[in-house]
Amino acid sequence: MDKRKLPLVILFCGLLAGGSLLTFLLPVKDFSPREKRYLQPLPRLTPDRLLDGDFTADVEKYMADHLPLREELVGLSAYFELAAGRNGSRGVYLGREERLFLKPVEAEERDLTQNLEALGNFAQASGLPASILAVPTAGAVQTGQLPAVHRPYQDAQLLETIRQGLEGKIDWVELLAPFSDLRQETLYYRTDHHWTSQGAYTAYAAFMEEKGAAPLPPSAFRVSQREGFYGTCYAKSGYWGVSPDTVEVWENPALSVRVTVSDEDGGETAVQDGPFFFDRLDEADKYPVFLNGNHSLVRLENPEVTGGRLLVVKDSFAHCLVPFFAAHYSRIDMIDLRYFKKQRLSDYLRENPCDELLFVYGLDSLCTDKSLRWLG
C-alpha cells in the first residue's frame, strides 16, 4: 500500500470506530418524531439468538437506526439523489409548491381480486345496504403540482376495476370526478398522503347526495387551524427542508356526540365528548386529533338522533371523515381490521346490530392491504 495513503486509511478507520462507539454510548432514543417510527431497541443477547443469526441482524438494524447524525445524513442523501435526477427514490416525489406525493399505487391483480371478493362477500352476507368510498391518491388529483417527470397514476383505471368488481354488491360513491373538479382546492395535505378536512367534507357531501340526503353546509362548521404538521410523506422522504403543513379541524358546534375509543387489550383507551382530541395537536404527529388515531374500535353515539346505526370498516382516511357523519346517525361503530383481530366482524355485527355498512379505504389499501381478508 502507498504509505502516503496511510493517514487517510487511519482517519477513515478512526471515524468508523468512533461512530460505532458513539452509537452505543449516546442516549438511546425509542422513537423518531421526524420519521414517525419506533427505532430498533438494543438487541437482546441469548445463545439461541446468536446461533440463528437474529442477534447479528438486530445489531445491524440498531447501528443503522442509532448512527450519530443519522437523520441529517438521511436528509443529505435525499437531496443528493434529487439533485442527481432521482426524484422519488424513497417512494415520494417532491413536486411543485413543496408538495410531496407518494408514487403511484402498484397493484397486484391477485391481491386486488381477493380483497374485492372479501368486501363483496361480507357485504352480501351482512344483508345491510352497503356503500364504499374509495379514496383516489393525491397524485391523481393534484396533477398541477406533480414534478415534471413522474410515473403515470393509474387511479382512474384501478377505481373502475374496483367499481366493476363490487357492482351489484356494494354501492359506489364516485370521488375522483368531484375531486378532479376541485383540484385547485386544498383537498390533500402537502406533506401527508391523507386528505384534509376539506377533502373529507367533499367525500361526505358526495356520500349524502348519493343517499338522497342533504349534507350540512360548510357554514355549519367552526374551522380552527394548527401549524407545524409534518405528515407521512415527509417522514418517508427525507426532504427535511420542506415547510410544515397546517392541520384544519372542522368542528360542528351543534353536535353532541360521545366517543369511546377501544383497543384489543380489552380496556377503554379514551372516553370523551366530541370527536376531536385537541391535546394531540401538541404532539409531533398531529393527525390523531381526529378520533385519537388508529385503534381497533371507535364508537360515536349521538343521543339527539333517532335511529340510524352505521358500521364503518376503514383505514385511516376515515378519521377526519366520520365526524361529519356523526350528525346523521345515532351510533357509528368504526372498525380497523389491521387491529381488530380477536373477534370475527360478522360475530361483532350480530352482537351490535347496525342499519348500514360503509367501507372507507384509500386506493393503496384496497389494492394491497391483506387485513381485508379478515372480513367474515
Side-chain angles (χ1 to χ4, degrees):
M1 183 181 68
D2 190 340
K3 292 183 178 181
R4 291 174 296 179
K5 297 180 180 179
L6 185 59
L8 290 176
V9 173
I10 294 173
L11 177 61
F12 175 78
C13 292
L15 289 174
L16 188 63
S20 299
L21 183 62
L22 282 173
T23 298
F24 288 96
L25 292 179
L26 291 173
V28 177
K29 293 170 58 179
D30 297 326
F31 183 78
S32 171
R34 178 172 268 172
E35 297 178 274
K36 298 182 184 296
R37 68 180 183 90
Y38 286 95
L39 302 177
Q40 176 70 29
L42 192 66
R44 181 173 54 89
L45 177 59
T46 64
D48 290 342
R49 299 188 78 251
L50 185 60
L51 289 174
D52 62 20
D54 287 347
F55 177 75
T56 304
D58 286 349
V59 168
E60 292 177 359
K61 294 176 184 177
Y62 181 87
M63 295 286 290
D65 272 3
H66 297 272
L67 183 71
L69 301 178
R70 178 186 176 280
E71 289 185 356
E72 288 74 10
L73 292 172
V74 168
L76 182 64
S77 173
Y79 283 101
F80 175 80
E81 292 187 0
L82 182 66
R86 294 191 289 270
N87 195 350
S89 64
R90 285 175 168 77
V92 178
Y93 291 127
L94 176 58
R96 298 177 176 89
E97 302 174 7
E98 295 189 305
R99 185 171 290 277
L100 301 177
F101 298 93
L102 291 179
K103 293 175 75 171
V105 174
E106 296 184 0
E108 294 289 341
E109 182 178 355
R110 180 171 177 271
D111 290 337
L112 178 56
T113 299
Q114 289 181 343
N115 284 350
L116 296 182
E117 288 178 354
L119 289 167
N121 291 340
F122 179 80
Q124 287 190 311
S126 74
L128 299 175
S131 304
I132 186 169
L133 288 166
V135 187
T137 63
V141 175
Q142 312 276 188
T143 54
Q145 284 76 44
L146 283 169
V149 179
H150 61 84
R151 285 173 36 212
Y153 286 82
Q154 305 291 340
D155 290 42
Q157 297 93 314
L158 287 172
L159 289 169
E160 178 59 19
T161 297
I162 294 168
R163 186 194 69 78
Q164 292 180 6
L166 299 176
E167 193 169 18
K169 302 175 182 177
I170 299 176
D171 293 336
W172 182 259
V173 181
E174 176 62 34
L175 292 183
L176 185 57
F179 272 45
S180 297
D181 292 341
L182 296 171
R183 68 181 64 207
Q184 299 305 319
E185 304 292 334
T186 309
L187 301 178
Y188 296 85
Y189 290 106
R190 283 189 304 102
T191 67
D192 195 84
H193 70 288
H194 290 109
W195 52 20
T196 61
S197 292
Q198 184 174 355
Y201 175 84
T202 304
Y204 151 73
F207 175 80
M208 297 303 295
E209 290 165 4
E210 183 71 21
K211 288 172 53 65
L216 296 174
S219 59
F221 300 92
R222 180 175 61 221
V223 178
S224 59
Q225 297 180 332
R226 178 67 68 89
E227 298 179 351
F229 171 53
Y230 291 100
T232 53
C233 295
Y234 172 87
K236 184 178 181 181
S237 70
Y239 295 132
W240 308 143
V242 170
S243 57
D245 257 323
T246 298
V247 173
E248 200 170 76
V249 178
W250 290 30
E251 189 176 9
N252 181 357
L255 182 66
S256 175
V257 62
R258 187 74 165 170
V259 175
T260 304
V261 180
S262 305
D263 278 318
E264 291 277 286
D265 57 12
E268 292 180 353
T269 61
V271 179
Q272 73 164 39
D273 293 323
F276 304 111
F277 289 69
F278 287 103
D279 58 321
R280 304 300 296 268
L281 290 174
D282 296 325
E283 300 176 0
D285 184 9
K286 303 182 188 307
Y287 194 71
V289 65
F290 304 107
L291 294 173
N292 207 32
N294 291 316
H295 298 278
S296 59
L297 171 64
V298 178
R299 171 169 286 186
L300 296 84
E301 297 172 286
N302 186 345
E304 297 182 358
V305 175
T306 302
R309 298 164 298 180
L310 177 67
L311 175 63
V312 179
V313 183
K314 58 83 186 181
D315 66 9
S316 53
F317 273 95
H319 296 178
C320 69
L321 170 69
V322 166
F324 289 110
F325 293 137
H328 305 275
Y329 294 91
S330 63
R331 195 190 82 211
I332 300 175
D333 286 352
M334 191 174 78
I335 286 179
D336 193 324
L337 294 172
R338 294 171 296 178
Y339 310 101
F340 191 85
K341 303 295 186 184
K342 290 188 175 180
Q343 184 181 26
R344 290 169 57 89
L345 189 55
S346 54
D347 294 335
Y348 177 86
L349 190 56
R350 278 192 291 271
E351 296 170 7
N352 302 270
C354 293
D355 306 301
E356 293 180 51
L357 175 61
L358 173 64
F359 298 101
V360 181
Y361 280 97
L363 179 59
D364 182 69
S365 295
L366 285 171
C367 292
T368 64
D369 187 355
K370 291 181 170 54
S371 70
L372 285 169
R373 321 282 166 81
W374 286 84
L375 280 168

